Amino acid sequence: WNSYRKVGALQNDVIHFELWDEDWVNDDYLGEATISINGDLKFNEIIELPFIFKDSKFDDLGSNIRLKIFKESDLNFKDKTIYLIRHGESEFNRALEKSDVVEMWSKTDHPLTLKGIEQSIDLNKKIKNADIQDENVKDFLSVDAIFTSPLSRAAQTAFISLSEHPKIKESGLILLANCREFKSIGGRDSTGNRLGADIKDRCLDKLKRHKDDEFIDQYKTISWDYNDCDSKWWSGIHDKSNKEVDERFDDFVNFVRYRPERNIIIVSHSVFIRYFFKRYLPKNEDDKTYDDVYDERYETAYCNDDVDDAEIVEKSDDNNLDFDTKLATWKLENGGCIKVDLKFNDSYRDGVMVNSKKLMFDSVLRERGKKDRKR
């Protein structure tokens, strides 16, 4: 786990950290750590701070916290741009379409299908054939970093669709646990089963079901930064309670806001992307947030990345209520991409607001399937 936080502390204050084990039944207090602002912290230096556990039986955990303090003026950009890409079709999506319960529930972390691989290849071609004189394309090709959910379908989409991107050739992919899909109760497709370098190995290995060694070998040289995925990064039973949704986005927004990169690509999932727009689009003319359009935080696992049973699509990127409502309630197509300009101010919800948005590379929004809409 890593995160950025704005700390409004005075020179003589002390920062106090508590370590808790959260689970479905009870939250257990494990230990604490403190550090003095005045005497212990220095700018741009990493400090290892051990936890003092309430019981010596926890000492073997070896947990510590690593701190690095920055001046807000060095990091806090007032605006940033993110490019959200949704993964290609996964085996869970296909099984859901066929009502194949065994396929859906007997496995975890479902990889891409052949169709999903082809959707990723198609996005790769669209990027290569895009007009490089277009300012939006120029900005996309000059991002500062590429992040991806560690779930296989997203990571596979990232290295296939972006294999020719200048940034991935220069510095590779960075895994980011917080942009993984939200997990409903029993959501097997959002349950991970690998850590660190094993995530990369599994992603490449699962391609063998559909592609030969020549196809797979071209992606082996892409470098991966496993970031916060060297230890368990997926949720337990579910993470769709109001509290957990709030915590996830609070972490995500602070991460984006205080990272040094100004423009980034994030490969993620339909529910995560939809929730993002529901929270951070500007209020509508009735002074309601898009959380009020309809609340789907407790939707069943069947609604995660549901199949598209309607050919109703929305290509408009006009800044109007209708398009905003679709962003908050429809879903970005598999292999789709949308550019989002963000403004940061502490007066906004979680300190961020969507300033503008634009569908890219002929991407479309699709109306959600019947199982989604029935709620």
Side-chain angles (χ1 to χ4, degrees), residues 10-64:
L10 300 176
Q11 190 172 13
N12 295 321
D13 285 347
V14 171
I15 303 177
H16 178 80
F17 302 90
E18 292 185 355
L19 181 66
W20 289 75
D21 178 22
E22 293 188 348
D23 56 42
W24 186 251
V25 181
N26 294 308
D27 296 341
D28 300 316
Y29 170 75
L30 299 182
E32 62 185 41
T34 58
I35 189 167
S36 167
I37 293 287
N38 191 32
D40 300 321
L41 284 181
K42 297 180 180 180
F43 289 115
N44 299 313
E45 290 186 8
I46 295 177
I47 298 173
E48 295 269 355
L49 186 63
F51 280 100
I52 300 173
F53 293 102
K54 71 170 187 176
D55 193 314
S56 59
K57 69 180 181 181
F58 296 129
D59 289 346
D60 291 340
L61 293 176
S63 296
N64 57 57

Side-chain angles (χ1 to χ4, degrees), residues 82-83 277:
I82 61 175
Y83 298 86
F277 285 116

Side-chain angles (χ1 to χ4, degrees), residues 221-353:
T221 57
I222 295 174
S223 65
W224 289 48
D225 180 343
Y226 304 109
N227 191 24
D228 54 0
C229 297
D230 278 321
S231 58
K232 183 181 176 183
W233 46 267
W234 57 92
S235 305
I237 296 178
H238 81 122
D239 60 2
K240 280 191 170 180
S241 71
N242 287 6
K243 176 176 179 288
E244 288 164 317
V245 170
D246 290 342
E247 288 178 348
R248 283 274 304 273
F249 274 115
D250 186 37
D251 259 359
F252 176 75
V253 165
N254 277 283
F255 184 87
V256 172
R257 181 177 186 177
Y258 293 111
R259 286 283 300 190
E261 298 90 0
R262 191 69 173 265
N263 305 302
I264 60 176
I265 293 172
I266 299 172
V267 183
S268 188
H269 307 263
S270 68
V271 177
F272 182 92
I273 293 170
R274 192 163 66 251
Y275 278 14
F276 179 84
F277 285 116
K278 280 168 65 69
R279 289 177 72 89
Y280 303 122
L281 283 166
K283 290 184 177 182
N284 61 31
E285 59 189 13
D286 296 323
D287 199 33
K288 294 181 179 179
T289 68
Y290 284 91
D291 274 337
D292 299 316
V293 175
Y294 73 88
D295 195 346
E296 56 191 319
R297 287 178 176 176
Y298 296 101
E299 65 189 352
T300 68
Y302 287 100
C303 295
N304 280 351
D305 292 323
D306 196 20
V307 295
D308 300 311
D309 68 347
E311 286 303 316
I312 304 172
V313 298
E314 175 61 73
K315 293 186 177 182
S316 170
D317 51 23
D318 294 335
N319 190 11
N320 57 55
L321 175 63
D322 186 56
F323 182 57
D324 285 359
T325 302
K326 288 182 173 65
L327 284 170
T329 58
W330 290 23
K331 59 185 177 181
L332 185 63
E333 68 174 337
N334 289 117
C337 177
I338 185 167
K339 177 182 180 180
V340 186
D341 292 320
L342 302 175
K343 281 193 172 296
F344 295 97
N345 189 297
D346 290 336
S347 65
Y348 303 149
R349 182 179 188 177
D350 296 338
V352 67
M353 182 176 69

Side-chain angles (χ1 to χ4, degrees), residues 106-117:
S106 64
K107 302 176 181 179
T108 58
D109 190 13
H110 300 66
L112 293 177
T113 61
L114 177 59
K115 180 179 178 180
I117 293 171

